[in-house]
Amino acid sequence: MSTKNRGDRIQLLQKVVTKHYTPVPAAEDRSLLEQLIYACCLEDVAYDAADEAFHRLQESFFDWNEVRVTTVSELCETLHNLPQPAAAALRIKKNLQSLFETRYSFDIDDMVKLNQGKAIAELEKLAGMTKFVLGYMTQNALGGHAIPVSSSILQVLLATEIVSPAEAEKGQVPGLERTIPKTKGLAFASCLHQLAVEHATTPSNKETKAIMKDAGAVEPKKVAAPPASPRKDASSKTASTANTKTASSGKPSDKKTTGKKSLTKKPTASGATTKAATKSTTNKPASKAPAKSSTKPAGKGTTSGKKAPPKKPTSKTSPPKSSTKRKPR
């Protein structure tokens, strides 16, 4: 993205947010430590909810050292009105613990007298320091020029195409402080924070959508599904039709297989006759059948090796003569 294009989009966003929202100034009677605790409560949270949570912390605990030694679960009960009380409680505890370990006290008002670069560098070393808390401290406590950027603000900048997805992932917004002058930084940061919180909590709100559209927000493009292959559709349709028929009839759809099974289980009449004929042919010898071609008995030189049955007398031949002799009278 060119510098000119990014600058134009930032100026358009500034014009829109300052038109629809009223800036909320920071409390001047707070110390640097109180500004730090308040910034931990304000990240990705509306101003009224952060004010309520901060005042409850002051009323519920004796001092900030008691907050430091309190568990996160107990702090969550005090910060229950925040959208993410555990995240806020963890930021508060880590920053207080780091200050206690490095300074052995919670008095950090002397940072105002230090060089601004040294004070920012010391704040960056705190364990619970985030980019939003550091930007808020730089702008409201140290008098520097910085725009606090949270995750919800990055979503607005990403939707308006002020930052790229890679820059949003790193939390970088090039040219933001250069485009917005210091005199308008407090008002722009406060109005942008209000829009970001509303966009994160109620994205479907019509007023919020209209403001985002005026600021140049682009809706994400919907990726169309690729068309399915016609062959695949036809085969799946055929398979589904066959499965439907099979399920409705309760019988297998393969007719050839069914036919083969029925043939093997139930033999036909012709098959039974053939089988019986074969069995009778193999069991009964052919020698018992009467000879038709010749009346002579089989000789000794037959190839079968079996004796031929005796020849039955025919009608042409005379009966044999009796071999017995008559006795004389």
Side-chain angles (χ1 to χ4, degrees):
M1 182 185 297
S2 63
T3 306
K4 184 178 180 180
N5 190 15
R6 192 194 302 270
D8 294 341
R9 292 180 179 275
I10 293 174
Q11 290 177 358
L12 176 62
L13 179 61
Q14 177 196 7
K15 181 180 178 180
V16 171
V17 296
T18 53
K19 177 183 177 181
H20 290 87
Y21 296 96
T22 303
V24 179
E28 298 179 356
D29 57 342
R30 292 173 184 161
S31 63
L32 261 68
L33 181 62
E34 291 175 344
Q35 294 280 17
L36 175 63
I37 303 301
Y38 180 78
C40 292
C41 297
L42 182 64
E43 185 169 353
D44 294 325
V45 179
Y47 280 99
D48 54 351
D51 293 339
E52 182 182 351
F54 179 75
H55 290 307
R56 192 180 292 110
L57 282 174
Q58 289 179 319
E59 294 175 357
S60 301
F61 298 94
F62 178 74
D63 56 5
W64 297 117
N65 187 59
E66 186 180 357
V67 175
R68 177 184 67 88
V69 297
T70 305
T71 61
V72 174
S73 59
E74 293 177 353
L75 287 176
C76 289
E77 295 178 0
T78 307
L79 305 174
H80 63 86
N81 66 309
L82 299 181
Q84 297 179 348
L90 195 60
R91 287 192 294 266
I92 294 171
K93 276 185 61 66
K94 285 185 175 181
N95 285 322
L96 290 175
Q97 184 65 29
S98 296
L99 286 174
F100 181 78
E101 292 176 355
T102 55
R103 286 179 165 248
Y104 302 103
S105 69
F106 299 111
D107 186 10
I108 58 174
D109 290 337
D110 61 311
M111 288 187 179
V112 180
K113 300 178 182 179
L114 296 177
N115 184 289
Q116 191 174 105
K118 291 182 179 179
I120 293 174
E122 186 174 350
L123 289 174
E124 283 179 341
K125 295 179 182 179
L126 299 180
M129 186 60 58
T130 62
K131 290 186 177 181
F132 176 84
V133 176
L134 182 63
Y136 187 89
M137 290 290 293
T138 303
Q139 185 182 58
N140 295 275
L142 300 177
H145 179 41
I147 307 297
V149 177
S150 60
S151 59
S152 58
I153 292 177
L154 283 174
Q155 293 301 319
V156 174
L157 299 179
L158 185 62
T160 53
E161 296 185 343
I162 294 176
V163 296
S164 63
E167 292 170 344
E169 186 177 356
K170 296 178 182 179
Q172 299 176 354
V173 188
L176 185 60
E177 285 82 5
R178 185 171 57 252
T179 305
I180 304 298
K182 183 179 179 180
T183 55
K184 298 180 180 180
L186 284 169
F188 172 71
S190 176
C191 296
L192 178 60
H193 178 78
Q194 296 177 60
L195 173 62
V197 172
E198 289 185 2
H199 179 65
T201 54
T202 57
S204 59
N205 190 359
K206 293 183 179 180
E207 294 181 0
T208 307
K209 282 186 175 182
I211 296 173
M212 290 291 294
K213 187 176 181 181
D214 293 341
V218 180
E219 295 182 0
K221 297 180 180 180
K222 295 182 180 180
V223 181
S229 176
R231 294 183 179 179
K232 187 176 181 180
D233 290 347
S235 60
S236 61
K237 186 176 180 181
T238 305
S240 62
T241 306
N243 292 336
T244 306
K245 290 181 178 180
T246 304
S248 60
S249 61
K251 297 180 181 180
S253 59
D254 194 356
K255 294 182 178 180
K256 294 183 179 181
T257 308
T258 307
K260 290 181 180 180
K261 289 183 178 179
S262 61
L263 286 175
T264 53
K265 288 183 177 180
K266 298 179 180 181
T268 58
S270 59
T273 308
T274 308
K275 187 175 180 180
T278 308
K279 186 175 181 181
S280 61
T281 306
T282 52
N283 293 338
K284 296 180 180 181
S287 58
K288 292 184 179 181
K292 294 182 180 180
S293 58
S294 177
T295 56
K296 295 182 180 181
K300 296 181 180 181
T302 56
T303 57
S304 62
K306 297 180 180 180
K307 295 182 180 181
K311 183 178 179 182
K312 295 182 180 181
T314 59
S315 59
K316 294 181 180 182
T317 57
S318 58
K321 297 180 179 182
S322 176
S323 59
T324 56
K325 296 180 181 182
R326 296 181 179 178
K327 293 182 181 182
R329 294 179 179 176

